[in-house]
């Protein structure tokens, strides 16, 4: 049942983001940044944790989940280190995702043949 919940949650987040891309004049970059900021805001208000509890990876993997990870890291950092934790906690909380993005990005850049799309 957890797989179904994750699929539904991730699908809803992605569908809502796609609707924003299709129906607004917002650039994809602005929508992506908006998703991260929305994840932080929902986490700060205590509204995102129930979604994570229900949807699991479907809520933590998309960009809203990245904002959730940043906010949780900041909260933990502030609790452990005070004001300094506000600056370091977000990066510490999201370090796994950031490292994975860098490693897989480099790996695929080495394995795939780049093509110039302007031709």
């Amino acid at each position: 049942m957890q797989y179904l919940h994750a699929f539904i949650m991730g699908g809803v987040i992605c569908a809502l983001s796609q609707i924003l891309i299709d129906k607004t004049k917002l650039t994809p970059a602005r929508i992506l940044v908006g998703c991260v900021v929305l994840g932080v805001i929902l986490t700060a208000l205590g509204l995102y944790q129930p979604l994570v509890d229900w949807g699991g990876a479907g809520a933590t993997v998309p960009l809203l989940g990245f904002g959730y990870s940043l906010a949780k890291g900041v909260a933990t950092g502030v609790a452990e280190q005070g004001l300094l934790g506000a600056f370091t906690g977000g990066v510490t909380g999201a370090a796994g995702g950031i490292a994975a993005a860098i490693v897989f990005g480099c790996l695929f850049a080495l394995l795939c043949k780049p093509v110039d799309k302007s031709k």
Side-chain angles (χ1 to χ4, degrees):
M1 198 55 142
Q2 292 175 343
Y3 293 122
L4 180 62
H5 288 181
F7 179 78
I8 291 169
M9 179 62 64
V12 166
I13 292 170
C14 291
L16 292 174
S17 298
Q18 187 65 47
I19 289 169
L20 284 175
I21 290 171
D22 292 342
K23 301 293 182 184
T24 66
K25 294 193 184 290
L26 294 172
T27 63
R30 289 182 184 207
I31 293 170
L32 295 176
V33 170
C35 286
V36 173
V37 171
L38 182 61
V40 170
I41 292 169
L42 291 175
T43 302
L45 296 174
L47 300 174
Y48 203 71
Q49 188 61 47
L51 298 177
V52 170
D53 293 341
W54 186 82
T60 58
V61 172
L63 281 172
L64 286 169
F66 183 67
Y68 166 78
S69 297
L70 288 173
K72 293 295 276 188
V74 168
T76 303
V78 168
E80 293 174 357
Q81 300 175 345
L83 183 60
L84 181 62
F87 298 105
T88 62
V91 176
T92 303
I98 294 168
I102 292 170
V103 168
F104 288 116
C106 291
L107 180 67
F108 281 104
L110 292 172
L111 295 176
C112 299
K113 181 180 175 185
V115 178
D116 187 8
K117 293 184 178 184
S118 64
K119 293 181 181 182

